[in-house]
Amino acid sequence: MKRSALLVVDNVDKRYGAEFPPAVSHLSFSLEEGEILALLGPSGSGKTTALRLIAGFEKPDSGAIVLKGVPVAGNGSWLPPEARKVGMVFQDYALFPHLTLLDNVAFGLSGSRKDRERKALEVLAKVGMDRLASRYPHELSGGQQQRVALARALAPEPWLILLDEPFSNLDADMRADMRREVEKVLRESNMSAVLVTHDQEEAFVLADRVGVLNNGSLEQLAAPEVLYHTPATRFVADFVGEADFLPGEVQDGIVTELGVLEHRCGLPRGTRVEIMIRPDDVDFEPDDEGNGIVAGRKFRGSENRYALRLPSGARVRSSQASTRVVATGTRVKVRVKLDHIVLFPVS
């Protein structure tokens, strides 16, 4: 059964002054009930601006935002943040230092004090923090503060949760644990969410779909595996995962310095292209007559990542087993084993 659209962002533009390029440009996407969507991109790509527009902290210059069928911004409509039924988890958690965890979560709830405290305890229990309800934020670890911030956002029973780089202040092990816990709470609550991050792994682990932003524009919005295997643009190919780009020319196949790749791309003969190659697409064997040289190796625990220099001077990377060690300077035969070919014409 198809879920209904909870959030619609329609052709939204936002610029901070006429002398600056748009922070977001022609931004359009929708979010379904119960879906988790991640906005992924480098610093300055427009991720946080998009989140602030949805939350109501910024007004769009053009375009419209509709939440659960209600226009909240654009085309003459405007609802302030407190009227949008949107919960927000900030990067720095933004907990009140002078309030206990119970009072932090109860803050902003309506009803009698007893009702507010009961509701706050229920939500704290969802994130495993009810036993620490009488503590203050400074008495907690970063991960515990994150749980409380999520509980506070969930307490008013919003239609949508927005998460702004929520794990960036945690160490690597804690980030992985918190991703699992936050996803579990969101899924069990059937809560819709928009996550902003620059961390590809974070986006892929948490989100049903991922949108890649570049200079304020949405370059592609798709499931994580689609972004990785079939990127729509060269920017997405380069930003999502690790990629090298091998020059080629369209003939009967695609002629490259690593051989002819069989592929019917529909481009005219003679068209120059770049073929995307992931490190797991490249293999090699020592060979005194080979077409490459091992230029370097980085041990990454679970694997070795080799840099291979080709006759043209171009380099490609190759993922190999962590136990396979080949000395730098070794001449090798480089092979490309592509299950499918992604290419981009060179203008």
Side-chain angles (χ1 to χ4, degrees):
M1 180 182 295
K2 182 175 175 60
R3 296 174 290 186
S4 59
L6 171 75
L7 170 71
V8 176
V9 177
D10 182 20
N11 204 31
V12 166
D13 290 325
K14 179 63 182 178
R15 185 189 297 265
Y16 297 104
E19 68 275 22
F20 299 110
V24 297
S25 178
H26 305 298
L27 183 63
S28 294
F29 65 87
S30 63
L31 178 76
E32 296 180 345
E33 295 271 7
E35 183 182 20
I36 300 175
L37 184 146
L39 295 177
L40 177 68
S43 297
S45 61
K47 306 183 303 293
T48 297
T49 297
L51 211 66
R52 290 176 63 83
L53 287 162
I54 296 167
F57 301 144
E58 303 285 353
K59 290 185 177 182
D61 297 327
S62 60
I65 300 173
V66 178
L67 184 60
K68 212 163 187 178
V70 178
V72 297
N75 298 330
S77 300
W78 174 254
L79 281 182
E82 62 273 16
R84 294 194 182 192
K85 289 188 72 68
V86 171
M88 186 88 177
V89 179
F90 296 94
Q91 183 174 349
D92 60 358
Y93 316 136
L95 299 175
F96 299 117
H98 62 293
L99 297 182
T100 64
L101 308 190
L102 182 67
D103 289 337
N104 260 283
V105 177
F107 186 85
L109 295 179
S110 59
S112 67
R113 179 172 180 82
K114 182 178 179 180
D115 288 341
R116 287 186 282 117
E117 289 183 349
R118 175 186 54 77
K119 178 64 175 177
L121 277 173
E122 288 176 359
V123 183
L124 282 169
K126 279 187 178 181
V127 298
M129 293 296 293
D130 50 318
R131 294 183 180 180
L132 303 180
S134 61
R135 291 194 182 181
Y136 290 85
H138 72 272
E139 299 176 304
L140 305 181
S141 67
Q144 289 172 326
Q145 290 185 47
Q146 176 67 274
R147 293 187 186 95
V148 177
L150 179 60
R152 187 176 63 182
L154 288 169
E157 299 181 345
W159 292 336
L160 173 66
I161 291 284
L162 306 177
L163 302 107
D164 185 10
E165 301 274 8
F167 311 111
S168 60
N169 292 331
L170 305 176
D171 61 43
D173 289 339
M174 181 62 72
R175 279 201 302 271
D177 290 342
M178 283 307 304
R179 283 199 299 261
R180 286 191 293 269
E181 292 188 28
V182 168
E183 182 183 17
K184 181 174 183 288
V185 171
L186 293 175
R187 299 294 186 192
E188 289 179 349
S189 304
N190 195 36
M191 179 58 63
S192 305
V194 177
L195 163 74
V196 155
T197 181
H198 65 274
D199 186 318
Q200 171 196 310
E201 180 181 354
E202 190 171 292
F204 279 19
V205 168
L206 272 171
D208 301 300
R209 290 186 299 151
V210 178
V212 180
L213 284 165
N214 179 30
N215 291 327
S217 296
L218 187 63
E219 298 234 344
Q220 188 173 3
L221 175 60
E225 57 270 21
V226 174
L227 287 178
Y228 185 84
H229 291 297
T230 54
T233 67
R234 194 187 189 285
F235 175 83
V236 174
D238 196 26
F239 187 76
V240 174
E242 295 183 52
D244 297 303
F245 297 91
L246 185 67
E249 184 176 292
V250 176
Q251 296 296 336
D252 291 334
I254 302 175
V255 179
T256 77
E257 64 179 313
L258 293 180
V260 178
L261 306 177
E262 294 185 10
H263 182 61
R264 296 183 180 276
C265 61
L267 294 172
R269 292 171 66 92
T271 301
R272 292 186 301 121
V273 297
E274 291 182 314
I275 299 97
M276 180 190 78
I277 298 176
R278 301 289 191 192
D280 51 358
D281 296 328
V282 179
D283 201 3
F284 66 89
E285 291 293 341
D287 185 334
D288 290 340
E289 303 298 323
N291 56 355
I293 294 174
V294 175
R297 175 179 70 91
K298 292 184 178 179
F299 180 67
R300 302 177 64 167
S302 60
E303 66 174 8
N304 279 305
R305 181 62 53 84
Y306 285 89
L308 309 174
R309 188 172 69 249
L310 305 180
S312 66
R315 295 192 179 202
V316 295
R317 287 165 288 185
S318 175
S319 295
Q320 298 292 322
S322 63
T323 54
R324 187 185 186 198
V325 178
V326 180
T328 298
T330 302
R331 182 164 287 279
V332 294
K333 175 68 174 179
V334 183
R335 297 188 302 274
V336 177
K337 43 184 178 54
L338 295 170
D339 293 330
H340 62 279
I341 292 177
V342 176
L343 56 82
F344 303 97
V346 177
S347 56

